Each structure stands twice: as structure tokens, then as C-alpha cells.
Amino acid sequence: MKLLFDLNALRPPRTGIGYYTQHLLQGLRARSDITDVRGWMGGDIYSGERLDELVRDQAPSGDPVLVPHSQALSLSQCLQRSAALQPLRTFFHRRSSRAVRAQSAKEGYVYHETNFAASRYAGPTVATIHDLSHRRHPEFHSKILVQHLDRELPRTFRRVNMVIADSHYTKQEIVDLYDVPEERVTTIHLGVDECFRPLSEVACRAVLSTLDLRQRAFVLSVGTLQPRKNLLRLVEAFAALPRELRREFPLVLIGARGWKTTELASTIAPFISAGEVVTPGYLSRNDLLKLFASAAVFAYPSLYEGFGLPVLEAMASGTAVLTSAASSLPEVSGGAAVEVDPWRIDAIEDGLRRLLTDASLRRQCIERGVAQASKFTWASTIEQTCAVYKKIC
């Protein structure tokens, strides 16, 4: 079996879809029943060792997490991040890949689009749809991006043989919103990277010292800084905690700058000055693993998720989790987290307070979380994905 991928999701900074693509490629390249894997990025074709090098490369973007009233982004950063340019990027990606798609179809490759919108392909095709937030919450996206996805996804559903959804929740969304036959949509959960695991205080000490943090004495939040992640309500809930609790457990926000962060930046400014909110800027993956394993609580009260992998990564790291009782998140957390109504600041505040003041509750969440996270492996994701390929060959 031979496979073809659009590799543009691997461009830095590597986000969730990029890591999904990376893990698929690494697992597929190691299988004996896969005879070749190739892909394109821009006008370049990657296969063999060159593909392996691209997959391994995780060069830092150098992008700050969030700095209130900071310097403007450079023009190149603005161009990279502008959702308004997505249709133009898609056009150039597809034009540059026409030849490799045409040749690969003739040679019998299965094309897997891991990033929503599939290009036209004259062979068996699979697409992974991670969420439908642009339909449920268009206010969280630019109008141009919503229009782009509204145009591209119906085409994708018509073009592909099978659709992969990250969760049962997302599968049902696809069936309900796009009238795709249920038998053409397969749920395949994501896996947790084995590097997410409990770590000793000694192993984490250097990173914590650099950030002036203490082991199990901070609240961690990781995710792209955008309204869908509900960070403004999280900060407001944190602000409602008693001052002594905020000082004992500062809030650490980590994530690439996303969409509509101005209000968040101005809200957290006084808490940064008081040392109660920390925005470390870019952290290497190695350092991030140590923060996951050192936090007292991981807070992820997102308004909408197609899966919510950071919840499992925190659980696998041995950290108690607060998350939303909304969208796919209860499916992922499996009762091992404190689940709250993400629209209610008082509910988020109550969940944080309970976890920070009740050591027994934290231990219970940690034990259940480690067990829950162990159910999600990339080996299983890859095995199930291969079964989809074989089904359409």
C-alpha cells in the first residue's frame, strides 16, 4: 500500500494538526504493509529519508505567547497568521501539487488529507476532519475563513471515499451538519505521545527555577490564544479566587498568539505585574513536558473542541485536570477530570478552588487521569487508520 499526504500542516510553528500528521507519518513509515509514503509541501516532494527529516524537524517559531500592549507582529508573522489569506494559500498549495497528485493517482497511491480540505484527486481519498467550530461558532473565526471552509468542506465530503473524525462528537456533527452518510465517517481517537509522563521534581527543577515556579504550585493552561479556548473566562475565574490562593498558585499561560487576543492581553496585564499570571514566551517541547508534569492543576475550559488532546497530555503527565462539560471533552476526559460549564465564570472559579484546596480530590483526579490517558495510543490510531485505507483500496 502506498500513501500520499499534503505536508503543509508540518510547517512551523507545529500545531495540533501538525503533530497529528507527524505521528501518523512516523507510525506509517515503520509498517511493513506500507510500501511507500510521499507528500508535498509547496512545490517540493518529500519521501524516504528526506520525509523523515521533515517530520523530525520541529524548529521553534520564536513567537511570543502573549505580551500585553506588545510590539506589533512583523509583516511576515502577520501574513503567516492571517486567516484571510487561507484561500490564497490553498490555491497555491494545490497548483504547486498538481503534478505529484496526478502522478501518484496513476501509481495507485491512497491520498490522506489530514487538514480538513482535500485537494482534487483521481484515486482513493481519505480526509480527517478535526472539528466543525466554524459552523457551531463562526464568531470565533474570521468571516473569510468561515466562507473558505463553508466552500471547501462540502467539496471535500463529495470527493473523499471515507472521512475520519477525531471523536464520536465530531462524527455526529459531520453527519448532522453535512448530511454525510454515517457509514462513510469513522471515529478514530488521537493518541498521547509517550513523552508525556510523570516526572520527578529533580527532573523539572531547572525549568521551574528559570520561571520562578514551584513544583505543584501553579495552574497551567496550554493552547492557542483565541476566544474558543475560553481563556478570558479562565482569567476572570482565576481573578475571583482569594488573593492568597492566586499568589500561592499563579496561572501560567502558554500558547501561540491566535485570533482576537487584545481583551485577554489587557485583562491579564495587572496580574502579570502582580506576579499572579506568568506568560513565559516560547518554550521548547522538552520544557513544556516538565511544566505539564509539575503543575498543580491543568485548566482547559474550552468552549468547543473536536477532541482536546492537551487534556490527555496533562493526565498522562500525572496532573489533575479541569475541563469543560461541553463538546467532545467529556468523551476524552472520561470522568477523570473536574468538568465545568465553560460559559459560567463562577463554575470555572469553583472548579479551580476545589482542585487547589482539596488535595484528596487532586490525587483522585491524577489516578483516574493516568488510567484514562493510557487508553489513547498513537499505535492504535495508526492501526485503525490503516484499516480505513484498506477498506477503500
Side-chain angles (χ1 to χ4, degrees):
M1 190 159 49
K2 299 179 289 187
L3 304 173
L4 175 70
F5 288 83
D6 178 346
L7 304 175
N8 284 284
L10 296 177
R11 293 181 184 274
R14 197 162 289 181
T15 59
I17 295 175
Y19 283 113
Y20 168 72
T21 306
Q22 170 189 322
H23 282 290
L24 276 186
L25 292 169
Q26 288 173 330
L28 294 168
R29 286 275 293 149
R31 290 179 64 100
S32 60
D33 56 345
I34 305 296
T35 56
D36 189 35
V37 180
R38 70 165 59 150
W40 78 86
M41 181 184 286
D44 294 328
I45 300 171
Y46 294 81
S47 61
E49 291 184 8
R50 190 164 182 245
L51 176 60
D52 293 339
E53 289 174 7
L54 177 68
V55 170
R56 282 194 301 267
D57 183 18
Q58 297 177 37
S61 68
D63 182 53
V65 171
L66 182 70
V67 181
H69 313 298
S70 67
Q71 348 157 299
L73 289 171
S74 69
L75 176 60
S76 63
Q77 287 174 310
C78 288
L79 290 175
Q80 269 190 336
R81 298 207 179 280
S82 173
L85 292 177
Q86 183 60 49
L88 190 61
R89 285 196 293 266
T90 299
F91 170 77
F92 283 114
H93 290 166
R94 288 178 178 170
R95 189 175 72 170
S96 65
S97 65
R98 278 179 189 160
V100 66
R101 282 185 283 123
Q103 185 61 35
S104 297
K106 289 178 182 177
E107 295 176 11
Y109 282 73
V110 175
Y111 164 39
H112 184 174
E113 177 53 63
T114 62
N115 192 10
F116 291 93
S119 300
R120 192 182 299 277
Y121 188 68
T125 307
V126 177
T128 299
I129 306 298
H130 301 279
D131 67 73
L132 294 178
S133 61
H134 74 288
R135 288 290 301 272
R136 290 302 192 192
H137 294 285
E139 70 276 14
F140 295 158
H141 304 279
S142 74
K143 184 180 291 186
I144 291 177
L145 182 59
V146 172
Q147 291 171 345
H148 169 69
L149 289 172
D150 279 343
R151 181 174 59 252
E152 289 295 330
L153 285 188
R155 293 174 181 173
T156 292
F157 292 132
R158 288 194 299 270
R159 287 172 180 166
V160 304
N161 300 90
M162 287 292 293
V163 177
I164 293 173
D166 291 348
S167 62
H168 297 303
Y169 177 86
T170 298
K171 173 179 178 174
Q172 196 59 51
E173 293 266 90
I174 293 167
V175 172
D176 291 345
L177 294 175
Y178 287 94
D179 201 27
V180 178
E182 204 165 337
E183 61 272 16
R184 287 184 55 221
V185 188
T186 299
T187 298
I188 301 180
H189 289 138
L190 307 184
V192 182
D193 196 316
E194 293 177 358
C195 62
F196 289 95
R197 63 187 189 278
L199 299 171
S200 69
E201 183 175 354
V202 173
C204 303
R205 186 176 295 158
V207 174
L208 296 177
S209 177
T210 300
L211 300 176
D212 198 23
L213 297 171
R214 294 178 295 110
Q215 180 84 2
R216 300 300 185 191
F218 61 95
V219 178
L220 179 65
S221 182
V222 177
T224 304
L225 303 176
Q226 55 174 295
R228 181 160 64 94
K229 300 302 180 182
N230 208 25
L231 293 175
L232 186 57
R233 286 186 182 84
L234 172 61
V235 170
E236 291 174 345
F238 177 77
L241 294 171
R243 187 179 183 189
E244 59 270 20
L245 207 55
R246 299 198 307 266
R247 296 188 71 81
E248 184 180 356
F249 297 98
L251 175 63
V252 180
L253 295 177
I254 298 176
R257 193 193 328 257
W259 171 253
K260 294 184 178 179
T261 59
T262 304
E263 187 178 1
L264 175 64
S266 61
T267 300
I268 67 174
F271 297 103
I272 291 176
S273 299
E276 296 171 3
V277 171
V278 181
T279 56
Y282 173 77
L283 293 178
S284 69
R285 187 165 175 80
N286 187 52
D287 287 350
L288 185 58
L289 297 176
K290 292 170 183 176
L291 288 186
F292 263 105
S294 300
V297 173
F298 178 72
Y300 200 76
S302 180
L303 296 171
Y304 180 101
E305 292 292 328
F307 188 75
L309 187 55
V311 166
L312 290 177
E313 292 171 340
M315 288 178 172
S317 301
T319 294
V321 172
L322 176 143
T323 192
S324 301
S327 65
S328 66
L329 289 163
E331 178 182 337
V332 171
S333 61
V338 170
E339 297 174 4
V340 300
D341 181 343
W343 296 96
R344 291 179 46 204
I345 294 169
D346 63 324
I348 300 172
E349 185 268 338
D350 178 68
L352 284 174
R353 186 195 298 264
R354 287 167 53 213
L355 278 170
L356 292 174
T357 59
D358 188 339
S360 176
L361 176 61
R362 284 203 305 275
R363 283 195 298 273
Q364 185 180 79
C365 287
I366 289 169
E367 290 172 5
R368 291 179 177 175
V370 169
Q372 175 69 1
S374 69
K375 301 173 184 176
F376 298 80
T377 68
W378 284 112
S380 175
T381 303
I382 291 157
E383 185 68 36
Q384 293 177 72
T385 304
C386 282
V388 171
Y389 299 154
K390 291 172 183 176
K391 187 174 181 179
I392 64 173
C393 280

